[in-house]
Amino acid sequence: MTAAQTPHENQPPEEPHRPQAAPVEGHGVTAEPAGGPEFARELRDGVLIALAVAVSGVLLGVLWAWLAPRVPLIADTHNVYLKNTEGEEAIGADGTFVLLALGFGVVTAAVVFLVRRRGGIPLVVSLALGGLLGAALGWLTGMWLGPTPDVVAHARQVGAGVAFDGPLRLQAKGALLAWPIAGMLTQIALTGLFGPRDPELDGPVVPDWSGHHQPPVD
């Protein structure tokens, strides 16, 4: 008489667990890295924004050449002098450039935010780089549209003892940073105030000390 076999003994032996092999990609098909298209799109948009902001620097130069105060000069038969030795026209030209650059920084950042409706580091970098290039372009455009930088030739043309306008110059080169700084600060402020926000949870989250997930308590 044989002993009765248990159901466990009647079952076939279990096969060892083998990890499932990853599917093999087809011939000639390469895996696309995660975030590739998104990164390419952000990079393309950033370049376009930087170029658009930089090109607007031409308008800055036109306004600067129109609004900046002129530095009056006068010449004799040998030298060229300032007509008003205590005049503040040179400082006024720098101040006009700074005020215009600040305004351009705020306006360009606001326009970009209204179009994109979001922020991000690439966008801030694009505004900063475009603003710096735009300020430099506005500086060069304003000097080109202003009086000739050849003071000696201009003095000979008008004659001795006749006042004429000196060249338009930017004495403080740090004024070129006004545009990118204003653009970055405006973009950060608009994103913080009106940018998209993460969805909030409906109720408080109860800490899970047991290692099991618990739903929020209503």
Side-chain angles (χ1 to χ4, degrees), residues 69-203:
R70 297 292 188 264
V71 179
L73 302 177
I74 193 170
D76 54 18
T77 56
H78 299 285
N79 299 310
V80 179
Y81 306 94
L82 288 171
K83 183 178 181 181
N84 300 322
T85 56
E86 297 182 356
E88 299 180 353
E89 290 82 3
I91 300 177
D94 287 7
T96 302
F97 185 90
V98 171
L99 292 177
L100 289 173
L102 290 175
F104 270 75
V106 173
V107 171
T108 52
V111 171
V112 171
F113 179 80
L114 291 176
V115 173
R116 295 293 302 274
R117 284 292 181 181
R118 58 175 177 169
I121 295 178
L123 187 59
V124 175
V125 173
S126 300
L127 286 173
L129 182 59
L132 184 59
L133 294 176
L137 184 59
W139 170 39
L140 297 176
T141 303
M143 290 193 304
W144 179 68
L145 294 176
T148 175
D150 193 348
V151 178
V152 177
H154 199 178
R156 291 176 179 174
Q157 181 181 1
V158 299
V162 180
F164 61 95
D165 294 334
L168 185 60
R169 295 175 179 175
L170 190 62
Q171 304 294 334
K173 300 303 186 293
L176 297 174
L177 300 177
W179 186 339
I181 291 176
M184 288 189 301
L185 294 179
T186 302
Q187 175 65 26
I188 294 173
L190 291 177
T191 303
L193 292 175
F194 306 106
R197 303 180 183 276
D198 296 333
E200 298 181 356
L201 297 177
D202 295 336

Side-chain angles (χ1 to χ4, degrees), residues 2-47:
T2 59
Q5 296 180 352
T6 61
H8 176 74
E9 294 177 352
N10 291 332
Q11 294 179 357
E14 296 181 358
E15 296 182 358
H17 177 72
R18 296 179 181 177
Q20 185 177 2
V24 180
E25 297 179 354
H27 179 70
V29 179
T30 57
E32 187 175 2
E38 181 69 19
F39 176 77
R41 186 177 64 84
E42 290 289 342
L43 183 60
R44 182 184 68 252
D45 292 347
V47 172

